[in-house]
Amino acid sequence: MKLAVVSRYIGYTTERGHGGGFLHATQGATRRRYIDAFAGVGRYDFGQGHLRDGSAILALRREVPGPASASPIGFTHLRFVELEDARAAVLERRVAATGTAATRARVRRGDANALMHELLAEVEDPTPTLLLLDPYD
């Protein structure tokens, strides 16, 4: 349920071409940032072979149609924080596997609480930024 809510909040487009969410609301901006302070491994295993991208990979891959023949709109800068080295390594591999999208993302290892000032200092004012603070898988 949580991933469905996050997915919709990031951005969606209906079959009729209408949309909503953060990416639609910020389509006039030249940059859009996403920070996932507790990114995890980037994938959830719900059992019985049911896998789903986690919030970090979801945000990295998500694009919505741009206005009238413009390029699709997605996040231009993404930062993923993971405390545990092993989990961060798995996330780094998943990010790299997305191909060119990976050039927009960086995985930071460490405590999100300790890194927060540094992460927020990277945000150019007035860049629209979506910050996800959810420490639960």
Side-chain angles (χ1 to χ4, degrees):
M1 178 70 155
K2 174 184 87 173
L3 286 175
V5 171
V6 170
S7 176
R8 195 151 172 90
Y9 191 85
I10 287 171
Y12 66 92
T13 304
T14 67
E15 292 175 8
R16 297 175 128 179
H18 303 293
F22 185 87
L23 293 175
H24 280 285
T26 60
Q27 64 183 330
T30 57
R31 294 181 305 262
R32 284 161 298 285
R33 288 188 172 271
Y34 178 87
I35 301 170
D36 194 331
F38 302 93
V41 297
R43 180 176 291 159
Y44 290 99
D45 184 348
F46 294 98
Q48 299 179 346
H50 180 70
L51 300 172
R52 183 161 181 191
D53 286 339
S55 54
I57 300 301
L58 209 155
L60 181 58
R61 290 186 172 153
R62 179 63 49 93
E63 292 181 331
V64 297
S69 76
S71 298
I73 296 168
F75 289 102
T76 56
H77 300 80
L78 300 98
R79 299 296 178 259
F80 308 134
V81 180
E82 176 50 47
L83 179 62
E84 297 178 29
D85 285 341
R87 291 167 58 97
V90 171
L91 179 58
E92 286 171 337
R93 286 192 298 276
R94 290 203 170 117
V95 167
T98 66
T100 59
T103 61
R104 299 178 285 127
R106 191 170 75 196
V107 176
R108 300 288 308 270
R109 295 173 188 224
D111 183 340
N113 297 301
L115 292 171
M116 194 54 59
H117 286 289
E118 186 178 327
L119 290 165
L120 293 176
E122 292 181 16
V123 177
E124 303 93 351
D125 194 37
T127 303
T129 302
L130 177 58
L131 172 61
L132 185 62
L133 293 170
D134 183 6
Y136 302 102
D137 285 339

